Amino acid sequence: MERPPSKKSLSIELQELFNSDQADRVSLQDKESNSDSWNLIADNDAKRLVSARKIYDEYTKGAIDLSNEEMVQLAFLFQHSLEMEEYKKVVELGNAAGEEGKWIAAAGEDRWLISRGEKQKWGTQFTYDGNQAPMLSDEESGITDEMRQDRGIPVRAKQVSDH
């Protein structure tokens, strides 16, 4: 039977996966993105998700423990999946990470809603051209500016004025 990775090597692996994920996205900042650059990122995401799924499986089996920071890192990897069901993992991991995971849990919920063809609630998701993805009104969503601020998300007026 294969042994789960040591805590130190798991932490390093998750940090490297997370750093690689974020570096791909930073590489597009201030550049005109095109389908080739997004295809490359999608390929890299798919490779990272192979490892993320193994780590998640070990975590859900109770074979490994994850710190709050590690849960957030793992959630970010699933946030960039193309599989709608994996967005539920983002919400689960973000919520389990407590205070550190509030933003990513909201982002996962928004991503899941959008993947179902619905409007987002929190205002965390944007289209490839930088515009905010369609969003429910506060009345429809039940989300308040106080709730957004608690999760590190800009208030509605700022979201609207910035985009």
Side-chain angles (χ1 to χ4, degrees):
M1 183 172 154
E2 193 176 318
R3 292 183 53 195
S6 71
K7 179 64 177 163
K8 182 176 180 183
S9 66
L10 175 66
S11 293
I12 292 168
E13 179 182 7
L14 260 173
Q15 186 68 55
E16 288 172 351
L17 291 167
F18 175 76
N19 289 347
S20 172
D21 174 87
Q22 295 301 291
D24 273 353
R25 278 135 186 97
V26 168
S27 73
L28 291 181
Q29 290 177 352
D30 302 324
K31 293 181 185 172
E32 189 170 320
S33 63
N34 57 44
S35 61
D36 288 340
S37 56
W38 280 109
N39 287 338
L40 177 62
I41 289 175
D43 289 345
N44 291 344
D45 285 342
K47 292 172 189 168
R48 286 186 287 264
L49 282 162
V50 170
S51 297
R53 289 179 188 118
K54 288 178 185 175
I55 293 167
Y56 179 82
D57 287 343
E58 292 296 315
Y59 167 71
T60 58
K61 289 176 188 172
I64 59 172
D65 291 323
L66 298 174
S67 69
N68 289 352
E69 180 182 356
E70 291 165 341
M71 283 188 267
V72 169
Q73 291 170 340
L74 190 57
F76 265 93
L77 299 173
F78 287 120
Q79 177 75 358
H80 298 136
S81 173
L82 299 176
E83 302 293 326
M84 179 172 63
E85 289 304 308
E86 293 195 315
Y87 305 142
K88 292 180 183 179
K89 294 175 185 175
V90 177
V91 176
E92 171 198 341
L93 290 162
N95 286 332
E99 201 62 35
E100 295 170 66
K102 285 182 175 183
W103 184 89
I104 192 65
E109 184 177 9
D110 278 350
R111 180 74 55 102
W112 182 77
L113 288 167
I114 290 169
S115 72
R116 294 173 37 113
E118 298 177 32
K119 294 178 180 179
Q120 64 177 322
K121 292 169 53 173
W122 297 94
T124 62
Q125 301 301 296
F126 296 85
T127 60
Y128 289 117
D129 59 6
N131 292 315
Q132 190 171 49
M135 190 167 161
L136 292 168
S137 70
D138 288 356
E139 294 76 24
E140 293 171 308
S141 69
I143 303 299
T144 65
D145 281 341
E146 292 78 23
M147 293 165 74
R148 282 187 191 91
Q149 288 175 314
D150 181 57
R151 291 178 176 259
I153 300 167
V155 298
R156 183 67 178 253
K158 178 130 177 74
Q159 292 174 348
V160 173
S161 70
D162 284 352
H163 296 285

Coordinates of all heavy atoms in Angstrom, one line a residue, residues 75-133:
A75 N -8.0 24.6 -2.7 CA -9.2 25.2 -3.2 C -8.9 26.0 -4.5 O -9.7 25.9 -5.5 CB -9.9 26.0 -2.2
F76 N -7.9 26.8 -4.5 CA -7.5 27.6 -5.7 C -7.3 26.7 -6.9 O -7.7 27.0 -8.0 CB -6.3 28.4 -5.5 CG -6.6 29.8 -5.0 CD1 -6.7 30.1 -3.7 CD2 -6.9 30.8 -6.0 CE1 -7.0 31.4 -3.3 CE2 -7.2 32.1 -5.6 CZ -7.3 32.4 -4.2
L77 N -6.6 25.5 -6.7 CA -6.4 24.6 -7.8 C -7.7 24.1 -8.4 O -7.9 24.1 -9.6 CB -5.5 23.4 -7.3 CG -4.1 23.8 -6.8 CD1 -3.4 22.6 -6.2 CD2 -3.3 24.5 -7.9
F78 N -8.6 23.7 -7.5 CA -10.0 23.3 -8.0 C -10.8 24.4 -8.6 O -11.6 24.2 -9.5 CB -10.7 22.6 -6.9 CG -10.2 21.2 -6.5 CD1 -9.7 21.0 -5.3 CD2 -10.1 20.2 -7.5 CE1 -9.2 19.7 -4.9 CE2 -9.6 19.0 -7.2 CZ -9.2 18.7 -5.9
Q79 N -10.6 25.6 -8.1 CA -11.2 26.8 -8.7 C -10.9 26.9 -10.2 O -11.8 27.4 -11.0 CB -10.8 28.1 -7.9 CG -11.4 29.4 -8.5 CD -12.8 29.6 -8.1 OE1 -13.5 28.7 -7.5 NE2 -13.4 30.7 -8.6
H80 N -9.8 26.5 -10.6 CA -9.4 26.6 -12.0 C -9.6 25.3 -12.8 O -9.1 25.2 -13.9 CB -7.9 27.1 -12.1 CG -7.8 28.4 -11.5 ND1 -6.7 28.7 -10.6 CD2 -8.5 29.5 -11.5 CE1 -6.9 30.0 -10.2 NE2 -7.9 30.5 -10.7
S81 N -10.4 24.4 -12.3 CA -10.8 23.2 -13.0 C -11.9 23.6 -14.0 O -12.5 24.6 -13.9 CB -11.4 22.2 -12.0 OG -12.0 21.1 -12.7
L82 N -12.1 22.7 -15.0 CA -13.2 22.9 -15.9 C -14.4 22.0 -15.6 O -15.4 22.0 -16.3 CB -12.7 22.6 -17.4 CG -11.5 23.4 -17.9 CD1 -11.1 22.9 -19.3 CD2 -12.0 24.9 -18.0
E83 N -14.2 21.3 -14.5 CA -15.3 20.4 -14.0 C -16.2 21.1 -13.0 O -15.7 21.4 -11.9 CB -14.6 19.1 -13.4 CG -13.7 18.4 -14.3 CD -14.4 17.8 -15.5 OE1 -15.6 17.3 -15.3 OE2 -13.9 17.7 -16.6
M84 N -17.4 21.2 -13.3 CA -18.4 21.9 -12.4 C -18.4 21.3 -11.0 O -18.5 22.1 -10.0 CB -19.8 21.9 -13.1 CG -20.8 22.6 -12.2 SD -22.4 22.7 -13.0 CE -22.9 21.1 -13.2
E85 N -18.4 20.0 -10.9 CA -18.5 19.4 -9.6 C -17.3 19.7 -8.7 O -17.4 19.7 -7.5 CB -18.6 17.9 -9.7 CG -20.0 17.4 -10.3 CD -21.1 18.0 -9.4 OE1 -21.1 17.8 -8.2 OE2 -22.0 18.6 -10.0
E86 N -16.2 20.1 -9.3 CA -15.0 20.4 -8.5 C -15.1 21.8 -7.8 O -14.4 22.1 -6.9 CB -13.7 20.3 -9.3 CG -13.5 18.8 -9.7 CD -12.1 18.5 -10.2 OE1 -11.6 19.2 -11.0 OE2 -11.6 17.5 -9.7
Y87 N -16.0 22.6 -8.3 CA -16.3 23.9 -7.7 C -16.9 23.7 -6.3 O -16.7 24.6 -5.4 CB -17.1 24.8 -8.5 CG -16.6 25.0 -9.9 CD1 -17.4 25.1 -11.0 CD2 -15.2 25.1 -10.2 CE1 -16.9 25.3 -12.3 CE2 -14.7 25.3 -11.4 CZ -15.5 25.3 -12.5 OH -15.0 25.5 -13.8
K88 N -17.6 22.6 -6.1 CA -18.1 22.3 -4.8 C -17.0 22.1 -3.8 O -17.1 22.4 -2.6 CB -19.1 21.1 -4.8 CG -20.4 21.4 -5.6 CD -21.2 20.2 -5.6 CE -22.5 20.5 -6.4 NZ -23.4 19.3 -6.5
K89 N -15.9 21.5 -4.3 CA -14.7 21.2 -3.4 C -14.1 22.6 -3.0 O -13.6 22.7 -1.9 CB -13.7 20.4 -4.2 CG -14.1 19.0 -4.5 CD -13.1 18.3 -5.3 CE -13.6 16.9 -5.7 NZ -12.6 16.2 -6.7
V90 N -14.2 23.6 -3.9 CA -13.6 24.9 -3.6 C -14.4 25.4 -2.4 O -13.8 25.9 -1.4 CB -13.8 25.8 -4.8 CG1 -13.3 27.2 -4.4 CG2 -13.0 25.3 -6.0
V91 N -15.7 25.4 -2.4 CA -16.5 25.9 -1.4 C -16.3 25.1 -0.1 O -16.1 25.7 1.0 CB -18.0 25.8 -1.8 CG1 -18.9 26.3 -0.6 CG2 -18.3 26.7 -3.0
E92 N -16.2 23.8 -0.2 CA -16.0 22.9 1.0 C -14.6 23.3 1.6 O -14.6 23.5 2.9 CB -16.0 21.5 0.5 CG -15.6 20.5 1.6 CD -15.2 19.1 1.0 OE1 -15.6 18.8 -0.1 OE2 -14.4 18.4 1.8
L93 N -13.6 23.3 0.8 CA -12.3 23.6 1.4 C -12.2 25.0 1.9 O -11.6 25.2 3.0 CB -11.2 23.3 0.3 CG -11.0 21.9 -0.1 CD1 -10.2 21.8 -1.4 CD2 -10.2 21.1 1.0
G94 N -12.7 25.9 1.2 CA -12.7 27.3 1.7 C -13.4 27.5 3.0 O -12.9 28.1 3.9
N95 N -14.6 26.9 3.1 CA -15.3 27.0 4.4 C -14.6 26.3 5.5 O -14.5 26.8 6.6 CB -16.7 26.4 4.2 CG -17.6 27.3 3.5 OD1 -17.5 28.5 3.5 ND2 -18.6 26.7 2.8
A96 N -13.9 25.1 5.2 CA -13.2 24.4 6.2 C -12.0 25.2 6.7 O -11.5 25.0 7.8 CB -12.8 23.0 5.7
A97 N -11.4 26.1 5.8 CA -10.2 26.8 6.2 C -10.5 28.0 7.0 O -9.6 28.8 7.4 CB -9.5 27.3 4.9
G98 N -11.8 28.2 7.4 CA -12.1 29.3 8.3 C -11.9 30.7 7.7 O -12.2 30.9 6.5
E99 N -11.4 31.6 8.5 CA -11.2 33.0 8.1 C -10.4 33.1 6.8 O -10.7 33.9 5.9 CB -10.5 33.7 9.2 CG -10.7 35.2 9.2 CD -12.1 35.7 9.4 OE1 -13.0 35.1 10.1 OE2 -12.4 36.7 8.8
E100 N -9.4 32.3 6.7 CA -8.5 32.3 5.5 C -9.2 31.9 4.2 O -8.7 32.3 3.1 CB -7.3 31.4 5.7 CG -6.4 31.9 6.9 CD -5.3 30.9 7.2 OE1 -4.5 30.6 6.4 OE2 -5.4 30.3 8.3
G101 N -10.2 31.1 4.4 CA -10.9 30.6 3.2 C -12.2 31.3 2.7 O -12.8 30.8 1.8
K102 N -12.5 32.4 3.4 CA -13.8 33.0 3.1 C -13.9 33.5 1.6 O -14.9 33.3 1.0 CB -14.1 34.2 4.0 CG -14.5 33.8 5.4 CD -14.7 35.0 6.3 CE -15.3 34.6 7.6 NZ -15.6 35.8 8.4
W103 N -12.8 34.1 1.1 CA -12.9 34.7 -0.2 C -13.0 33.5 -1.2 O -13.9 33.6 -2.1 CB -11.7 35.5 -0.6 CG -11.8 36.1 -2.0 CD1 -12.4 37.3 -2.3 CD2 -11.4 35.5 -3.2 NE1 -12.4 37.5 -3.6 CE2 -11.8 36.4 -4.2 CE3 -10.8 34.3 -3.5 CZ2 -11.6 36.1 -5.6 CZ3 -10.6 34.0 -4.9 CH2 -10.9 34.9 -5.9
I104 N -12.2 32.5 -1.1 CA -12.2 31.4 -2.1 C -13.5 30.6 -2.0 O -13.9 30.1 -3.1 CB -10.9 30.5 -2.0 CG1 -10.8 29.6 -3.2 CG2 -10.9 29.7 -0.7 CD1 -10.5 30.3 -4.5
A105 N -14.1 30.5 -0.9 CA -15.4 29.8 -0.8 C -16.4 30.6 -1.6 O -17.2 30.0 -2.3 CB -15.8 29.7 0.7
A106 N -16.4 31.9 -1.5 CA -17.4 32.7 -2.2 C -17.1 32.6 -3.7 O -18.0 32.5 -4.5 CB -17.3 34.2 -1.8
A107 N -15.8 32.7 -4.1 CA -15.4 32.6 -5.5 C -15.9 31.2 -6.1 O -16.3 31.1 -7.2 CB -13.9 32.8 -5.7
G108 N -15.7 30.2 -5.3 CA -16.1 28.8 -5.7 C -17.6 28.8 -5.9 O -18.1 28.1 -6.9
E109 N -18.4 29.4 -5.1 CA -19.8 29.4 -5.2 C -20.2 30.2 -6.5 O -21.1 29.7 -7.3 CB -20.5 30.1 -4.0 CG -22.0 30.0 -4.0 CD -22.7 30.6 -2.8 OE1 -22.0 31.2 -1.9 OE2 -23.9 30.5 -2.7
D110 N -19.6 31.3 -6.7 CA -19.8 32.1 -7.9 C -19.5 31.3 -9.2 O -20.2 31.2 -10.2 CB -19.1 33.4 -8.0 CG -19.7 34.5 -7.2 OD1 -20.9 34.4 -6.8 OD2 -19.1 35.5 -7.0
R111 N -18.3 30.6 -9.2 CA -17.9 29.8 -10.3 C -18.9 28.7 -10.6 O -19.2 28.4 -11.7 CB -16.5 29.3 -10.1 CG -15.9 28.4 -11.2 CD -15.4 29.2 -12.4 NE -14.5 30.3 -12.1 CZ -13.2 30.2 -12.3 NH1 -12.6 29.1 -12.8 NH2 -12.4 31.3 -12.1
W112 N -19.4 28.0 -9.5 CA -20.3 26.9 -9.7 C -21.6 27.5 -10.3 O -22.2 26.8 -11.2 CB -20.6 26.3 -8.3 CG -21.5 25.1 -8.4 CD1 -21.2 23.9 -8.8 CD2 -22.9 25.1 -8.0 NE1 -22.3 23.1 -8.7 CE2 -23.4 23.8 -8.2 CE3 -23.7 26.1 -7.4 CZ2 -24.7 23.4 -7.9 CZ3 -25.0 25.7 -7.2 CH2 -25.5 24.4 -7.4
L113 N -22.1 28.6 -9.8 CA -23.4 29.2 -10.3 C -23.2 29.5 -11.8 O -24.1 29.2 -12.6 CB -23.8 30.4 -9.6 CG -24.3 30.2 -8.2 CD1 -24.3 31.5 -7.4 CD2 -25.7 29.5 -8.2
I114 N -22.1 30.1 -12.2 CA -21.9 30.5 -13.6 C -21.8 29.3 -14.5 O -22.3 29.2 -15.6 CB -20.6 31.4 -13.7 CG1 -20.9 32.8 -13.1 CG2 -20.2 31.5 -15.1 CD1 -19.7 33.6 -12.9
S115 N -21.1 28.2 -14.0 CA -21.0 27.0 -14.7 C -22.3 26.3 -15.0 O -22.5 25.6 -16.0 CB -20.0 26.0 -14.1 OG -20.6 25.4 -12.9
R116 N -23.3 26.6 -14.2 CA -24.7 26.1 -14.3 C -25.5 27.0 -15.2 O -26.7 26.8 -15.4 CB -25.4 26.0 -13.0 CG -24.7 24.9 -12.1 CD -25.3 24.9 -10.7 NE -26.8 25.2 -10.7 CZ -27.7 24.3 -10.3 NH1 -27.4 23.1 -9.9 NH2 -29.0 24.7 -10.4
G117 N -24.9 28.1 -15.7 CA -25.7 29.1 -16.5 C -26.5 30.1 -15.7 O -27.3 30.8 -16.2
E118 N -26.1 30.2 -14.4 CA -26.8 31.1 -13.6 C -25.9 32.4 -13.3 O -24.8 32.4 -13.7 CB -27.1 30.5 -12.2 CG -28.1 29.3 -12.4 CD -28.4 28.5 -11.1 OE1 -28.4 29.2 -10.0 OE2 -28.6 27.3 -11.2
K119 N -26.5 33.4 -12.7 CA -25.7 34.6 -12.3 C -25.0 34.4 -11.0 O -25.5 33.7 -10.1 CB -26.6 35.8 -12.2 CG -27.3 36.2 -13.5 CD -28.2 37.3 -13.3 CE -28.9 37.7 -14.6 NZ -29.8 38.9 -14.4
Q120 N -23.8 35.0 -10.9 CA -23.1 34.9 -9.6 C -23.7 35.7 -8.5 O -24.5 36.6 -8.8 CB -21.6 35.3 -9.9 CG -21.4 36.8 -10.3 CD -20.0 37.1 -10.4 OE1 -19.1 36.7 -9.7 NE2 -19.7 37.9 -11.4
K121 N -23.4 35.4 -7.3 CA -23.9 36.1 -6.1 C -23.0 37.1 -5.5 O -23.4 38.2 -5.1 CB -24.3 35.1 -5.0 CG -25.4 34.2 -5.3 CD -25.5 33.0 -4.3 CE -25.6 33.4 -2.9 NZ -25.9 32.3 -2.0
W122 N -21.7 36.8 -5.5 CA -20.8 37.6 -4.7 C -20.1 38.7 -5.6 O -19.6 39.7 -5.0 CB -19.7 36.7 -4.1 CG -20.3 35.8 -3.1 CD1 -20.7 34.5 -3.3 CD2 -20.5 36.1 -1.7 NE1 -21.1 33.9 -2.1 CE2 -21.1 34.9 -1.1 CE3 -20.3 37.2 -0.9 CZ2 -21.4 34.8 0.2 CZ3 -20.7 37.1 0.4 CH2 -21.2 35.9 1.0
G123 N -19.9 38.4 -6.8 CA -19.2 39.3 -7.7 C -17.7 39.1 -7.8 O -16.9 40.0 -8.0
T124 N -17.3 37.8 -7.8 CA -15.8 37.5 -7.8 C -15.4 37.0 -9.2 O -14.2 36.9 -9.4 CB -15.5 36.3 -6.8 OG1 -16.3 35.2 -7.2 CG2 -15.9 36.7 -5.4
Q125 N -16.3 36.8 -10.1 CA -15.9 36.2 -11.4 C -16.0 37.2 -12.5 O -16.9 38.0 -12.6 CB -16.8 35.0 -11.7 CG -16.7 33.9 -10.6 CD -15.3 33.4 -10.4 OE1 -14.7 32.8 -11.3 NE2 -14.7 33.6 -9.3
F126 N -15.0 37.1 -13.4 CA -14.9 38.0 -14.6 C -14.8 37.2 -15.9 O -14.3 36.1 -15.8 CB -13.7 38.9 -14.4 CG -13.9 39.8 -13.2 CD1 -13.6 39.4 -11.9 CD2 -14.5 41.1 -13.4 CE1 -13.8 40.2 -10.8 CE2 -14.7 41.9 -12.3 CZ -14.4 41.5 -11.0
T127 N -15.2 37.8 -17.0 CA -15.0 37.1 -18.3 C -13.6 37.3 -18.8 O -12.8 38.1 -18.2 CB -16.0 37.7 -19.3 OG1 -15.8 39.1 -19.4 CG2 -17.5 37.5 -18.8
Y128 N -13.2 36.6 -19.8 CA -11.9 36.7 -20.4 C -11.5 38.1 -20.8 O -10.4 38.5 -20.8 CB -11.7 35.7 -21.6 CG -11.7 34.3 -21.1 CD1 -12.7 33.4 -21.5 CD2 -10.7 33.8 -20.3 CE1 -12.6 32.1 -21.1 CE2 -10.7 32.5 -19.9 CZ -11.6 31.7 -20.3 OH -11.6 30.4 -19.9
D129 N -12.5 38.9 -21.2 CA -12.2 40.3 -21.6 C -12.2 41.3 -20.4 O -12.1 42.5 -20.6 CB -13.2 40.8 -22.6 CG -14.6 40.8 -22.2 OD1 -14.9 40.5 -21.0 OD2 -15.5 41.0 -23.0
G130 N -12.2 40.8 -19.2 CA -12.1 41.6 -18.0 C -13.4 42.2 -17.4 O -13.3 42.9 -16.4
N131 N -14.5 41.9 -18.1 CA -15.8 42.4 -17.5 C -16.3 41.4 -16.5 O -16.0 40.2 -16.5 CB -16.8 42.5 -18.7 CG -16.4 43.6 -19.7 OD1 -16.0 44.7 -19.3 ND2 -16.5 43.3 -20.9
Q132 N -17.1 42.0 -15.5 CA -17.6 41.2 -14.5 C -18.7 40.3 -15.1 O -19.5 40.7 -15.9 CB -18.3 42.0 -13.4 CG -18.6 41.2 -12.2 CD -19.0 42.1 -11.0 OE1 -19.8 43.0 -11.2 NE2 -18.5 41.8 -9.9
A133 N -18.7 39.0 -14.7 CA -19.7 38.1 -15.2 C -21.1 38.5 -14.7 O -21.1 39.2 -13.6 CB -19.3 36.6 -14.7

